[in-house]
């Protein structure tokens, strides 16, 4: 299968590859997919007081298109508010990376990873608010 | 060293220049139809075909008259299964094969099931080998044919055909083997192994594509087949169609070369494969060899690189031609059914790479591939959330994944 130039570029020069401290209260972590399916994506966001995603990181087990989809996702969510990030659609990733139909699931997974990271962050925040002054997990 | 490097010799092989040379006159000068019995053009073609038939028969210790030319191993497999099933349907309706067979066998068997035959698909051991005891247990009064491959195309595992042949002979059941991957790399002897039908193809042994053969035993027992292609009654009535004379000449020459160079070449391939395997295993943890460690083709190395997905690794190894058991390299999105049959977890099946060496592989190429594989596996593991979790002490089996 021939890859698009953008997929190859993300594969060779992944953006924001790595990890953030998942224990931090301002970090949300989303892990989606399963090893048996050949794709696991971890996407993390660091959110500031204005609800803006100021940093993002990914790690992906998966094909080149999965790596590129998650790399692109981190690029796109950076600098966005949580609400803006939630509007990102997998079809945007498909179009940007020129993914063939058989690779669309990679973009779906990246969209899921963003949502999972945001909901993890919000769960942490809500948990902290409800037990203000208490300890966080 | 020329790039890209070809290391996918199980898929196909380049035609040996000596084979090309042998074929060339049969395109232009000696272009006759081997079935033309009344002029020199036909005689010359027929003579070349008969020489090739002998060269091919010799490599499996058969008689030239027992070689039926086909378009390739897929046709040979179809003819063996469907031809025997139809011819012997009075005797019984049961066939036995194994789950790791090539699709040409499995899909033919499925077709026969639709036509009312019953098929037993034997499991394999964790090392990929078919247990002869399982074959014996599966045989019933209705069994007419057992079809077990000589060597597996993905993991290179070699089956104990002599033992299986002893069993099928004892029970008066025919034995077919798809020997495509084994010819020229593992010893094959239709007499010693009691093989009744055997599929082979030229393009895996440095011959041209589009020409194959089915060995059909003539004596003790005389095997009969219903043809699947009807026409002029060529090839003892078992396979009609004008013979592909240049292809047949090339196939014969390819067999002759494989036989002449067998000892030296298999030893060389075994050495190169060991170098490749040891070179990778000594530098990377969590790499699993798929298939039996010794009972395998001398040119095959099938490795699973845990925590790294196969297609992404192939993408990094862009100047090396390899194949992967990963779902992503197939249209079906299912990882290799062969690796699954071995009980290799699906995660490791997604992480597998098949290295196939051949006649034109060099030590320099092997060393280059080792270096590239180690570099890219390390790079992709840095990128792998699974590797990170394992390093943190998390048992991946205990994780609740969110599979869609």
């Amino acid at each position: 299968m021939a890859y698009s130039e953008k997929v190859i570029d993300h594969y060779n020069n992944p953006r924001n590859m790595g990890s953030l401290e998942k224990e931090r209260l301002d970090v949300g972590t989303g892990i989606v997919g399963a090893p048996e399916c050949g794709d696991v994506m971890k996407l993390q966001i660091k959110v500031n007081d204005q609800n803006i995603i100021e940093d993002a990181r990914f790690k992906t087990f998966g094909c080149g298109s999965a790596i590129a989809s998650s790399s692109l996702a981190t690029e796109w969510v950076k600098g966005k508010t949580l609400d803006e990030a939630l509007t990102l659609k997998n079809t945007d990733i498909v179009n940007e990376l020129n993914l063939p139909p058989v690779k669309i699931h990679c973009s779906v997974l990246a969209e899921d990873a963003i949502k999972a990271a945001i909901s993890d962050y919000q769960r942490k925040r809500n948990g902290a608010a409800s037990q203000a002054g208490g300890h966080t997990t | 060293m020329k790039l890209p490097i070809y290391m996918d010799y199980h898929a196909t092989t380049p035609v040996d220049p000596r084979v090309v040379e042998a074929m060339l006159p049969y395109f232009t000068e000696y272009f006759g139809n081997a079935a033309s019995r009344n002029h020199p053009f036909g005689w010359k073609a027929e003579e070349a075909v008969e020489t090739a038939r002998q060269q091919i028969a010799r490599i499996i210790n058969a008689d030239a008259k027992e070689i039926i030319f086909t378009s390739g191993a897929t046709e040979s497999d179809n003819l063996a299964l469907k031809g025997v099933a139809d011819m012997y349907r009075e005797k019984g309706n049961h066939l036995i094969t194994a789950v790791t067979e090539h699709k040409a066998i499995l899909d033919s068997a499925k077709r026969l099931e639709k036509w009312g035959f019953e098929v037993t698909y034997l499991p394999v051991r964790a090392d990929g080998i078919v247990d002869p005891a399982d074959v014996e247990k599966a045989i019933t009064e209705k069994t007419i044919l057992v079809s077990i491959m000589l060597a597996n195309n993905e993991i290179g595992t070699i089956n104990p055909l002599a033992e299986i042949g002893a069993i099928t002979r004892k029970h008066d059941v025919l034995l077919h083997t798809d020997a495509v991957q084994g010819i020229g790399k593992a010893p094959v002897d239709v007499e010693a192994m009691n093989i009744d039908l055997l599929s082979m193809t030229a393009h895996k042994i440095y011959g041209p594509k589009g020409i194959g053969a089915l060995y059909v035993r003539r004596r003790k027992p005389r095997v009969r087949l219903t043809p699947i292609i009807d026409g002029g009654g060529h090839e003892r009535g078992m396979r009609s169609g004008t013979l592909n004379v240049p292809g047949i000449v090339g196939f014969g020459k390819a067999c002759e070369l494989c036989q002449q160079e067998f000892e030296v070449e298999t030893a060389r391939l075994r050495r190169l494969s060991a170098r490749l395997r040891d070179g990778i295993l000594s530098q990377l943890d969590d790499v699993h060899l798929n298939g039996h460690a010794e009972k395998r083709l001398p040119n095959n190395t099938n490795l699973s690189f845990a925590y790294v997905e196969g297609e992404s690794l192939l993408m990094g190894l862009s100047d090396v031609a390899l194949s992967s058991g990963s779902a992503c390299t197939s249209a079906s999105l299912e990882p290799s059914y062969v690796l699954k049959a071995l009980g290799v977890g699906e995660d490791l099946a997604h992480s597998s790479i098949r290295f196939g060496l051949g006649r034109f592989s060099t030590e320099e190429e092997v060393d280059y591939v080792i270096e590239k594989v180690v570099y890219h596996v390390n790079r992709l593991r840095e990128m792998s959330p699974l590797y990170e979790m394992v390093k943190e002490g998390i048992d991946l089996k205990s994780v609740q994944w969110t599979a869609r």
Side-chain angles (χ1 to χ4, degrees):
Chain A
M1 172 175 320
Y3 304 97
S4 73
E5 271 174 42
K6 282 178 180 160
V7 169
I8 294 172
D9 181 42
H10 277 280
Y11 174 84
N12 287 328
N13 312 290
R15 328 287 201 263
N16 310 306
M17 198 276 285
S19 296
L20 300 168
E21 283 177 62
K22 62 172 183 271
E23 282 75 24
R24 287 181 60 123
L25 206 54
D26 56 354
V27 169
T29 302
I31 299 180
V32 295
E36 302 81 57
C37 305
D39 300 290
V40 177
M41 281 182 196
K42 184 183 81 166
L43 194 141
Q44 294 182 299
I45 51 170
K46 188 173 174 218
V47 185
N48 68 16
D49 295 340
Q50 284 82 50
N51 260 347
I52 290 172
I53 300 172
E54 54 175 39
D55 204 356
R57 292 279 189 277
F58 84 93
K59 282 201 174 192
T60 290
F61 163 84
C63 64
S65 303
I67 290 171
S69 296
S70 41
S71 170
L72 179 66
T74 59
E75 242 186 345
W76 277 359
V77 297
K78 262 194 184 180
K80 292 207 162 56
T81 66
L82 293 179
D83 288 339
E84 286 167 346
L86 282 170
T87 63
L88 281 179
K89 288 277 163 290
N90 80 294
T91 45
D92 302 331
I93 296 173
V94 171
N95 292 335
E96 173 67 16
L97 295 177
N98 248 324
L99 296 181
V102 70
K103 296 296 186 188
I104 286 174
H105 72 278
C106 298
S107 68
V108 174
L109 215 52
E111 183 189 320
D112 288 352
I114 296 172
K115 295 201 165 113
I118 292 172
S119 88
D120 181 61
Y121 168 79
Q122 285 171 336
R123 193 165 47 240
K124 271 185 180 173
R125 277 288 162 181
N126 295 342
S130 67
Q131 27 177 306
H135 49 83
T136 55
T137 51
Chain B
M1 189 177 63
K2 245 176 63 187
L3 293 176
I5 291 169
Y6 189 72
M7 218 173 256
D8 201 13
Y9 279 85
H10 298 295
T12 192
T13 60
V15 181
D16 190 298
R18 295 169 288 182
V19 170
V20 175
E21 200 187 338
M23 291 171 68
L24 283 177
Y26 292 91
F27 285 104
T28 49
E29 203 175 339
Y30 311 126
F31 61 87
N33 187 330
S36 298
R37 289 284 156 78
N38 50 357
H39 55 66
F41 296 89
W43 301 335
K44 183 73 189 169
E46 193 192 10
E47 186 190 314
V49 166
E50 293 317 310
T51 302
R53 226 186 270 281
Q54 280 165 19
Q55 290 166 320
I56 295 160
R58 212 170 287 139
I59 203 170
I60 57 171
N61 191 27
D63 186 273
K65 294 193 187 72
E66 300 175 308
I67 301 299
I68 304 296
F69 288 113
T70 66
S71 61
T74 292
E75 188 192 330
S76 299
D77 286 346
N78 272 266
L79 177 56
L81 267 65
K82 294 171 185 170
V84 164
D86 187 68
M87 182 60 78
Y88 292 84
R89 64 194 323 159
E90 302 292 306
K91 189 184 170 215
N93 68 342
H94 179 231
L95 295 87
I96 299 169
T97 186
V99 290
T100 51
E101 291 290 317
H102 191 271
K103 287 287 181 191
I105 295 290
L106 295 176
D107 288 351
S108 294
K110 292 215 177 72
R111 177 81 58 199
L112 288 172
E113 285 185 285
K114 284 198 186 112
W115 292 347
F117 290 88
E118 282 173 27
V119 182
T120 300
Y121 300 90
L122 296 176
V124 295
R125 304 189 320 216
D127 57 17
I129 289 177
V130 175
D131 191 336
D134 288 344
V135 175
E136 185 148 35
K137 267 182 262 166
I139 292 176
T140 70
E141 283 179 359
K142 294 276 181 199
T143 309
I144 50 177
L145 180 71
V146 171
S147 179
I148 301 292
M149 69 200 328
L150 174 62
N152 185 269
N153 48 307
E154 287 189 34
I155 53 174
T157 307
I158 297 172
N159 279 316
L161 273 189
E163 289 171 58
I164 295 169
I167 291 165
T168 49
R169 186 62 83 239
K170 186 173 92 185
H171 291 275
D172 198 19
V173 170
L174 296 177
L175 174 62
H176 167 255
T177 187
D178 178 335
V180 164
Q181 297 289 342
I183 297 287
K185 299 182 196 77
V188 192
D189 183 328
V190 293
E191 288 308 319
M193 294 171 164
N194 286 306
I195 294 165
D196 300 309
L197 301 115
L198 179 148
S199 302
M200 52 202 294
T201 194
H203 78 98
K204 309 278 193 192
I205 55 169
Y206 313 97
K209 292 168 183 63
I211 184 73
L214 180 66
Y215 156 78
V216 184
R217 179 177 284 281
R218 287 183 82 217
R219 295 180 58 238
K220 297 182 187 174
R222 180 182 183 85
V223 177
R224 288 152 65 234
L225 289 178
T226 304
I228 53 178
I229 294 179
D230 295 305
H234 309 72
E235 300 300 276
R236 293 165 50 209
M238 293 191 210
R239 205 284 192 176
S240 289
T242 299
L243 290 178
N244 167 6
V245 178
I248 289 168
V249 168
F251 190 5
K253 184 69 183 174
C255 283
E256 185 187 82
L257 293 173
C258 274
Q259 203 174 11
Q260 281 167 3
E261 298 171 2
F262 183 82
E263 305 289 336
V264 176
E265 181 60 4
T266 50
R268 192 185 76 92
L269 288 172
R270 201 167 284 119
R271 216 167 38 240
L272 280 182
S273 292
R275 185 183 183 92
L276 177 71
R277 179 162 85 181
D278 298 347
I280 291 171
L281 292 180
S282 66
Q283 296 180 69
L284 290 172
D285 296 331
D286 291 325
V287 181
H288 307 270
L289 178 72
N290 297 311
H292 195 283
E294 282 95 41
K295 290 175 188 163
R296 66 191 303 136
L297 295 172
N299 65 327
N300 175 283
T301 307
N302 188 309
L303 299 174
S304 283
F305 300 89
Y307 324 124
V308 172
E309 197 276 331
E311 189 194 328
S312 68
L313 181 52
L314 290 189
M315 201 170 161
L317 302 167
S318 55
D319 50 10
V320 187
L322 293 164
S323 104
S324 168
S326 154
C328 290
T329 59
S330 71
S332 66
L333 286 186
E334 282 290 317
S336 153
Y337 67 92
V338 172
L339 294 176
K340 278 165 76 177
L342 267 56
V344 171
E346 290 206 18
D347 50 338
L348 283 180
H350 281 290
S351 303
S352 77
I353 302 281
R354 178 183 71 178
F355 301 86
L357 301 176
R359 187 174 285 170
F360 305 102
S361 301
T362 65
E363 207 165 87
E364 196 187 7
E365 289 178 343
V366 167
D367 290 348
Y368 178 87
V369 170
I370 293 170
E371 190 196 315
K372 286 278 171 175
V373 165
V374 170
Y375 171 80
H376 284 284
V377 169
N378 281 328
R379 178 178 108 92
L380 289 166
R381 280 183 175 170
E382 276 311 303
M383 216 186 284
S384 168
L386 305 178
Y387 189 64
E388 182 180 70
M389 289 161 103
V390 169
K391 290 287 154 192
E392 285 170 1
I394 297 169
D395 177 8
L396 294 180
K397 299 235 168 1
S398 72
V399 177
Q400 287 276 323
W401 301 105
T402 59
R404 296 177 68 90

